[in-house]
Amino acid sequence: MRKMLVSALCLFGVGQAQAADLPSNKAPPPPAFTSAPVVFSWTGFYAGVEGGADFMRRQGVVTNPALATTTPYSMNGVGGALGGMIGYNQQLGPMVVGVEANGDGVIGGSRTTNVRDATGAVYGVNARHNYDADLRGRLGFALDRALIFAAGGVAFGDVKTTMTGAAPTMMNANANRVGWTLGGGVEYAFTDHVIGRAEYRFTDLGTATTTNAATGVSDKVRYDSNSAMFGLMYKFGGP
């Protein structure tokens, strides 16, 4: 009896071992789910604030109406700029095209100099610049959340000149000018909505002609500037 029980147990163990060696009919476990990474897109509207340094240059001439002589002068200065922007980008593969409007008030945009002409007469010239605005097209190359761009378009600004000297050479003239601007920079999306910017911008408002109503003599003032600007924008919509 004991021999029969031992034999049965042995046969059962062998059968179990053989069954374990057979291929399993169970289905493999499903693969672990991993979500696809969200790719950032530059497409969408945005608005923000900007500020920086404005390196201004004015060049002009002072005319002595009695002798019809002209004396050139130049005034350079550094002021501040503070304002904002609104715009729209459209991403096409790695390329980004867009349009943007900017408006900035100029802080410290007044400069004064004394000009001595050939006769020794001294004229005081004050030039003021209060605002910059522009409408620009943009073209950029996206590296995921970084964007390298160039921008250019039409620029607007004021060139105000006051001249004092021996009467009747006193003159006060205001001119709102239309010129051009060109620059470029880099932007980085810190989040899906918050974007930072560093940019260089050159602005040329051309030459304004100011006429002394008392003498009919015209003088010219030329204005341009180089600006280093920094901005912080909010992008509307999805990533």
Side-chain angles (χ1 to χ4, degrees):
M1 183 68 179
R2 181 182 299 175
K3 291 182 179 180
M4 294 178 61
L5 181 59
V6 171
S7 299
L9 290 174
C10 292
L11 290 174
F12 178 76
V14 172
Q16 289 292 97
Q18 291 176 345
D21 294 335
L22 294 176
S24 174
N25 293 324
K26 293 182 179 180
F33 176 76
T34 56
S35 59
V38 178
V39 178
F40 180 78
S41 172
W42 289 90
T43 297
F45 289 95
Y46 61 90
V49 295
E50 65 178 6
D54 198 8
F55 300 86
M56 298 166 283
R57 180 177 65 171
R58 291 97 160 179
Q59 295 174 304
V61 294
V62 172
T63 301
N64 185 316
L67 302 177
T69 60
T70 60
T71 304
Y73 66 89
S74 178
M75 290 185 287
N76 299 323
V78 181
L82 184 64
M85 83 290 283
I86 185 171
Y88 178 81
N89 288 323
Q90 179 68 49
Q91 184 165 355
L92 306 169
M95 306 304 296
V96 177
V97 295
V99 62
E100 180 177 295
N102 305 73
D104 300 294
V106 178
I107 305 168
S110 177
R111 292 291 182 274
T112 301
T113 188
N114 291 324
V115 182
R116 187 183 300 273
D117 69 10
T119 67
V122 177
Y123 304 87
V125 180
N126 174 263
R128 302 180 304 283
H129 180 60
N130 297 319
Y131 77 92
D132 282 313
D134 51 63
L135 180 63
R136 304 181 296 164
R138 287 163 39 97
L139 178 63
F141 184 83
L143 300 169
D144 192 18
R145 290 181 175 270
L147 177 67
I148 303 170
F149 70 92
V154 60
F156 309 89
D158 63 336
V159 179
K160 300 183 177 183
T161 305
T162 301
M163 186 183 304
T164 59
T169 62
M170 298 192 331
M171 178 171 56
N172 191 345
N174 300 330
N176 291 302
R177 300 288 301 164
V178 178
W180 58 274
T181 181
L182 184 65
V186 60
E187 295 178 356
Y188 187 81
F190 298 106
T191 72
D192 290 342
H193 300 286
V194 179
I195 300 173
R197 170 193 293 179
E199 177 185 12
Y200 163 77
R201 194 181 303 168
F202 175 78
T203 301
D204 189 338
L205 294 178
T207 301
T209 301
T210 57
T211 302
N212 188 327
T215 63
V217 174
S218 296
D219 290 320
K220 298 182 183 297
V221 179
R222 178 176 177 79
Y223 175 85
D224 59 49
S225 69
N226 295 273
S227 301
M229 303 294 290
F230 301 91
L232 189 64
M233 296 94 72
Y234 182 87
K235 176 181 172 290
F236 301 95

